[in-house]
Amino acid sequence: MASRTLSIGASLDSPDALFERNDTENISMVSLKFHESNRVLDQDHQASSPVRRDVVNRSLSAVKFLENDDMDLEGGKLEKDRDKIIRSNKVVKIQNQALLSGLAYCISSCSMILVNKFVLSSYDFNAGISLMLYQNFISVVIVSVLSSLSLISTEPITWRLIKVWLPVNVIFVGMLVTSMFSLKYINVAMVTVLKNVTNVITAVGEMYLFKKHHDSRVWAALFLMIISAVSGGITDLSFHAVGYAWQIINCFLTASYSLTLRRVMDTAKQVTKSGNLNEFSMVLLNNTLSLPLGILLIFVFNEVDYLFTTPLLRMPDFWLVMTLSGFLGLAISFTSMWFLHQTGATTYSLVGSLNKIPLSVAGIVLFKVPTSLENSASILFGLLAGVFFARAKMQERSQS
């Protein structure tokens, strides 16, 4: 409601509205002039002879023709100017929207990882599953509120949809949990580079499950990613075997999530009320189903005892940071949809790859990660391999 009111209020001072007012004023002036001419000529018409009346009638016709012609010329000129400004305003608006959405997407995605790293490492919070559960709970609350206010549309969660979606959700929860565990032990830059291995597993999975063949440039980029991940691990001064093990598991789960999603999506759409499943419905479905599974995992990994004893949960600033991480998690979904809508899959993919570069630098600087020239070169090599992979996928998509 607020956005609708804002757009109406804003439009009053927009160039379109200004042109409408100018158009109306010009037409009114021409009409007034025309009526004044009519009044003078009518008075002469009543006091004159038949010959004069004929002359006057001809003059009146000529005046009407000239006035109409002036009005058409003026209106045409105004219409042209108006169209030109509307087109230029649309171009500026689209460019501004694309820039804003891109910045919002980059900031939210970078901030989410950095805030999670801050909670897990700087606060030394040893309950990654509880953090994930709290973030997902925030997402469910916000999406539910927005849906109840009719600001977004979501599909109702039915038992048929749950049965179809449950395998995807199990992998989704595993992906989030392993990501939390790995991020606690590995620095942000190396996590970013190691995540490239997911692309390799996904490409192999696509080849065997969907019979999709990739060209040589894609495989070359994937090979570079493997080299950068191996060399980065060897030269990592803060190497942690447990963290690397969780990250490798995370790569397999992330690839599995992507591949399973493709297989399940069509079936899931068939069991929905509208026959469609948008991003908001997926966010609500995934996060809602993750809550009971997350609670179960808290007991399995014995995080309950830790939660009762840790002093962190009695610190208001810690709750503030955790809540911020929950909002950022949901912001990624919203901003990625906004950015994708304003640009396209090609720009979205490339920006996502380039975004890892400032993220890695920020992770090293903010958390004072010990590094060497060899490790830095490996990280940079891996990030560039990611950009090369994105470009190769774009070219492959354009050719197909």
Side-chain angles (χ1 to χ4, degrees):
M1 191 69 183
S3 61
R4 194 176 300 160
T5 307
L6 180 63
S7 63
I8 292 170
S11 67
L12 292 175
D13 294 324
S14 66
D16 290 356
L18 290 173
F19 264 99
E20 284 172 11
R21 286 200 290 268
N22 288 338
D23 233 352
T24 306
E25 286 169 8
N26 285 322
I27 292 169
S28 299
M29 287 175 68
V30 170
S31 300
L32 180 62
K33 194 161 123 187
F34 174 68
H35 287 306
E36 285 175 353
S37 300
N38 270 346
R39 198 179 304 120
V40 172
L41 288 168
D42 285 343
Q43 288 172 357
D44 289 343
H45 185 270
Q46 290 171 1
S48 62
S49 64
V51 176
R52 184 176 175 84
R53 278 200 300 270
D54 184 57
V55 172
V56 168
N57 284 335
R58 288 181 185 178
S59 301
L60 179 61
S61 300
V63 169
K64 285 181 179 178
F65 174 78
L66 287 171
E67 292 293 349
N68 287 334
D69 193 41
D70 287 343
M71 191 166 67
D72 289 343
L73 287 171
E74 188 69 23
K77 186 179 178 184
L78 283 169
E79 197 66 35
K80 273 186 181 179
D81 292 343
R82 183 179 175 180
D83 289 344
K84 190 185 292 182
I85 290 187
I86 287 172
R87 281 196 299 270
S88 64
N89 284 337
K90 280 182 180 177
V91 171
V92 172
K93 188 177 179 182
I94 289 169
Q95 288 176 347
N96 288 340
Q97 289 283 319
L99 181 62
L100 284 173
S101 60
L103 284 172
Y105 167 67
C106 291
I107 291 169
S108 60
S109 59
C110 284
S111 301
M112 175 67 180
I113 297 173
L114 294 173
V115 170
N116 278 346
K117 179 66 176 175
F118 183 67
V119 171
L120 295 168
S121 296
S122 298
Y123 276 107
D124 197 24
F125 186 60
N126 294 319
I129 300 171
S130 301
L131 176 61
M132 176 214 71
L133 186 66
Y134 184 65
Q135 291 173 348
N136 291 1
F137 174 72
I138 290 174
S139 296
V140 170
V141 171
I142 295 173
V143 173
S144 299
V145 170
L146 293 176
S147 180
S148 64
L149 294 173
S150 299
L151 295 174
I152 60 172
S153 61
T154 56
E155 289 292 327
I157 300 175
T158 61
W159 281 112
R160 290 181 65 195
L161 184 58
I162 290 172
K163 287 177 185 177
V164 171
W165 200 260
L166 196 58
V168 178
N169 188 254
V170 171
I171 300 172
F172 171 76
V173 172
M175 180 180 72
L176 293 182
V177 169
T178 52
S179 176
M180 292 289 188
F181 288 167
S182 65
L183 192 60
K184 180 173 176 59
Y185 299 107
I186 311 177
N187 67 73
V188 174
M190 277 310 303
V191 166
T192 306
V193 171
L194 291 171
K195 277 185 179 291
N196 285 336
V197 177
T198 303
N199 296 320
V200 180
I201 302 168
T202 305
V204 174
E206 286 176 339
M207 190 173 64
Y208 283 101
L209 295 174
F210 302 105
K211 309 300 179 186
K212 184 176 180 180
H213 298 284
H214 300 285
D215 61 26
S216 57
R217 286 170 296 194
V218 172
W219 287 114
L222 294 172
F223 180 68
L224 293 176
M225 287 178 175
I226 294 171
I227 293 174
S228 66
V230 172
S231 61
I234 293 171
T235 58
D236 187 5
L237 298 179
S238 56
F239 179 85
H240 198 290
V242 174
Y244 271 74
W246 281 120
Q247 185 54 51
I248 291 169
I249 296 170
N250 175 259
C251 290
F252 277 96
L253 287 172
T254 306
S256 301
Y257 177 75
S258 175
L259 296 169
T260 309
L261 196 63
R262 294 185 196 182
R263 296 179 72 93
V264 171
M265 185 60 76
D266 290 335
T267 310
K269 286 180 180 179
Q270 291 172 6
V271 298
T272 57
K273 191 174 180 180
S274 66
N276 194 18
L277 196 65
N278 60 25
E279 181 72 20
F280 297 119
S281 299
M282 286 174 60
V283 169
L284 182 61
L285 184 60
N286 262 332
N287 288 289
T288 302
L289 294 181
S290 72
L291 297 181
L293 191 55
I295 293 170
L296 177 64
L297 289 174
I298 285 174
F299 285 97
V300 170
F301 282 84
N302 198 26
E303 287 189 359
V304 179
D305 293 338
Y306 172 78
L307 293 174
F308 277 116
T309 57
T310 180
L312 291 173
L313 297 183
R314 293 187 288 275
M315 297 169 58
D317 59 328
F318 178 73
W319 279 104
L320 183 66
V321 175
M322 278 219 307
T323 305
L324 175 63
S325 69
F327 277 96
L328 286 171
L330 188 59
I332 293 173
S333 299
F334 281 90
T335 56
S336 61
M337 284 179 63
W338 182 26
F339 185 43
L340 192 59
H341 176 70
Q342 292 296 328
T343 55
T346 303
T347 307
Y348 178 81
S349 177
L350 186 59
V351 170
S353 298
L354 291 170
N355 192 38
K356 293 177 181 179
I357 298 174
L359 172 62
S360 300
V361 174
I364 292 171
V365 173
L366 292 175
F367 297 102
K368 298 180 175 63
V369 177
T371 185
S372 61
L373 181 63
E374 293 83 1
N375 185 244
S376 299
S378 299
I379 292 169
L380 181 61
F381 185 68
L383 296 172
L384 293 176
V387 177
F388 180 50
F389 173 75
R391 286 186 60 84
K393 289 287 285 183
M394 287 176 209
Q395 292 170 353
E396 183 184 62
R397 196 180 297 118
S398 64
Q399 287 173 0
S400 61

